[in-house]
Amino acid sequence: MNSRVFSPTLTVDLGAIADNWRLLCGMTAPVKCGAVIKANAYGLGDTRVVQTLLRAGCREFFVAHVEEGATLKETLGTAWPRDASLHVLNGPDPGSESTCLAYGLTPVLNSRSQISRWQDLAYGKGRTLPAAIQVDTGMARLGLAEKPFAQLMAELDGLAGIAPTLIMSHLASAEEPDNPVNQLQLDRFRRLRQMLPQAKGCFANSSGIFLGTSYHFDLVRPGAALFGIAPVVGQPNPTQQVIRVQAQLIQWRCIASGEGVGYNHTWLAERPTRIGTVAIGYADGVLRSASNRARLRLGGFTVPLIGRVSMDTVTVDLTAVPENLLTAGTMLSVIYDEQGIDSLAQQAGTNAYEILTSLGSRFQRHYINDNG
Ligand SMILES: Cc1ncc(COP(=O)(O)O)c(C=O)c1O
């Protein structure tokens, strides 16, 4: 028995990821362009994505956790180039410093305690250890705020034992070019950078790259735009779409006018309606908030998702679709050219990051255009 017969399909276009990276490189050169590949490369598969980006020439990578970095390095083994770096954005958890060092990961140190634990390791090893230092310029999430950073820099042994590779910060609203917080953060970052001039500046995420060259410094670190997420709100998306999601029709039925569909009957038929049940649900990443909003595609027809999204299925209105197209196993598109991740996210009242990272583990994954 083929137990995966009704699994949804996720197609990841690795060539599009490489093209998106090259697009960003073209915008930032001669400033270097890295890649944020945390959370399993935003759910798309970090090993395949990193292999593709390495082939394209990327050498600076960022994960969130030591564990993610260690697993990735172990998987890639000797294929990991000596000149590539892998940064850990959240910094090492207490006790994970030696793992971080053993795997050659560069920690991003976000607090006094992360700094002093990395220093302890350096003193123990009798050598300086590389690390990036994060400053908080206005997001109030990770990094040393202006005052504590200035205090640290004023101390004689503030960063003793540490060879600072990057000074980093993160933008809170970069996808909104008119938001005054961008300039405010930029001004702070410029100020704080002067206190650590030997470290390279790393500030812009995907959207930050589109704010202009003054935001680029020495290294940019995009994630979203590599994976086809629109970098600027309200403007055409210059990146290529990276994923396609399809799912199979399980069965269909006709219901009479006045009958309800799905949990709590949030959709009531106003006319006799042909209802199709499709094998994908919120466990696979079609968020429940997309209920009665998203649209699927079948053989050139757009079919509205009606009723509540269930864990493993969604229901669609197939009334307009000729009956000869309807067989169990027929593929419907859920994420496709006209309904990319951004528009599905909008229908579900969230952002495309959440759509990508919610894609579940039940997909049959296909990687295409591997030669990048
Ligand atoms: C610290 C940091 N830098 C860079 C990125 C990449 O941002 P984006 O995916 O918007 O390009 C992230 C993502 O959340 C991040 O947390």
Side-chain angles (χ1 to χ4, degrees):
M1 190 180 90
N2 183 353
S3 60
R4 303 185 77 186
V5 75
F6 281 123
S7 312
T9 310
L10 169 65
T11 306
V12 180
D13 186 341
L14 294 169
I17 295 176
D19 282 346
N20 289 339
W21 182 76
R22 284 188 279 261
L23 170 86
L24 302 175
C25 284
M27 291 178 65
T28 59
V31 166
K32 278 197 201 163
C33 184
V36 177
I37 43 98
K38 59 187 178 155
N40 196 24
Y42 291 42
L44 301 187
D46 56 6
T47 308
R48 298 301 295 266
V49 168
V50 168
Q51 284 167 332
T52 299
L53 290 173
L54 281 170
R55 266 198 304 277
C58 185
R59 287 294 178 271
E60 307 275 348
F61 294 89
F62 296 83
V63 289
H65 299 283
V66 169
E67 185 74 24
E68 289 177 323
T71 307
L72 185 63
K73 282 260 187 121
E74 220 154 67
T75 310
L76 288 179
T78 53
W80 182 261
R82 294 174 81 88
D83 61 344
S85 355
L86 187 49
H87 299 84
V88 178
L89 291 167
N90 284 8
D93 309 328
S96 69
E97 292 81 9
S98 30
T99 309
C100 191
L101 182 64
Y103 281 93
L105 309 173
T106 310
V108 175
L109 303 176
N110 295 299
S111 63
R112 281 299 280 241
S113 65
Q114 285 189 343
I115 290 171
S116 59
R117 283 187 273 113
W118 196 243
Q119 287 174 315
D120 288 346
L121 186 66
Y123 300 148
K125 299 280 172 197
R127 59 186 164 103
T128 53
L129 297 178
I133 308 292
Q134 176 140 230
V135 289
D136 173 24
T137 52
M139 188 152 172
R141 189 179 69 168
L142 286 170
L144 290 146
E146 187 161 4
K147 220 165 143 193
F149 181 66
Q151 276 163 2
L152 179 80
M153 291 295 94
E155 290 167 22
L156 212 56
D157 59 352
L159 286 181
I162 293 175
T165 53
L166 297 177
I167 174 162
M168 275 185 46
S169 195
H170 193 50
L171 287 155
S173 303
E175 74 282 13
E176 300 164 4
D178 297 331
N179 195 320
V181 170
N182 294 323
Q183 184 66 46
L184 191 137
Q185 287 195 262
L186 178 63
D187 293 342
R188 274 200 195 131
F189 188 62
R190 283 185 171 136
R191 222 169 31 240
L192 296 179
R193 243 194 111 207
Q194 285 168 6
M195 299 181 206
L196 195 56
Q198 70 272 37
K200 291 191 172 4
C202 181
F203 192 45
N205 62 339
S206 302
S207 305
I209 293 172
F210 289 79
L211 292 175
T213 51
S214 53
Y215 286 78
H216 295 176
F217 296 92
D218 301 302
L219 171 69
V220 295
R221 34 169 227 283
L226 302 174
F227 308 119
I229 297 178
V232 188
V233 168
Q235 285 188 25
N237 184 352
T239 69
Q240 286 183 38
Q241 189 156 308
V242 164
I243 67 159
R244 303 258 177 299
V245 167
Q246 292 182 300
Q248 288 174 302
L249 184 65
I250 304 174
Q251 62 172 183
W252 58 270
R253 77 195 66 243
C254 291
I255 61 168
S257 179
E259 286 192 55
V261 173
Y263 283 119
N264 313 113
H265 287 183
T266 60
W267 193 89
L268 288 174
E270 287 175 2
R271 49 170 169 70
T273 306
R274 191 187 290 129
I275 307 291
T277 304
V278 183
I280 191 166
Y282 59 75
D284 305 298
V286 179
L287 302 186
R288 199 161 173 268
S289 50
S291 298
N292 291 306
R293 292 194 170 152
R295 291 166 178 279
L296 279 62
R297 288 281 288 178
L298 192 167
F301 294 87
T302 299
V303 294
L305 190 163
I306 55 174
R308 285 243 155 95
V309 175
S310 305
M311 190 182 293
D312 320 297
T313 54
V314 297
T315 35
V316 288
D317 180 351
L318 295 178
T319 312
V321 181
E323 219 171 296
N324 65 327
L325 294 184
L326 304 179
T327 341
T330 294
M331 278 290 189
L332 288 91
S333 297
V334 182
I335 296 180
Y336 49 98
D337 283 347
E338 298 79 14
Q339 181 174 268
I341 39 180
D342 285 294
S343 57
L344 185 60
Q346 202 178 7
Q347 282 152 359
T350 182
N351 66 12
Y353 298 67
E354 192 176 21
I355 297 289
L356 281 190
T357 54
S358 300
L359 297 171
S361 57
R362 293 193 292 203
F363 283 95
Q364 293 190 45
R365 289 171 177 245
H366 300 296
Y367 290 93
I368 60 168
N369 298 325
D370 204 356
N371 48 9

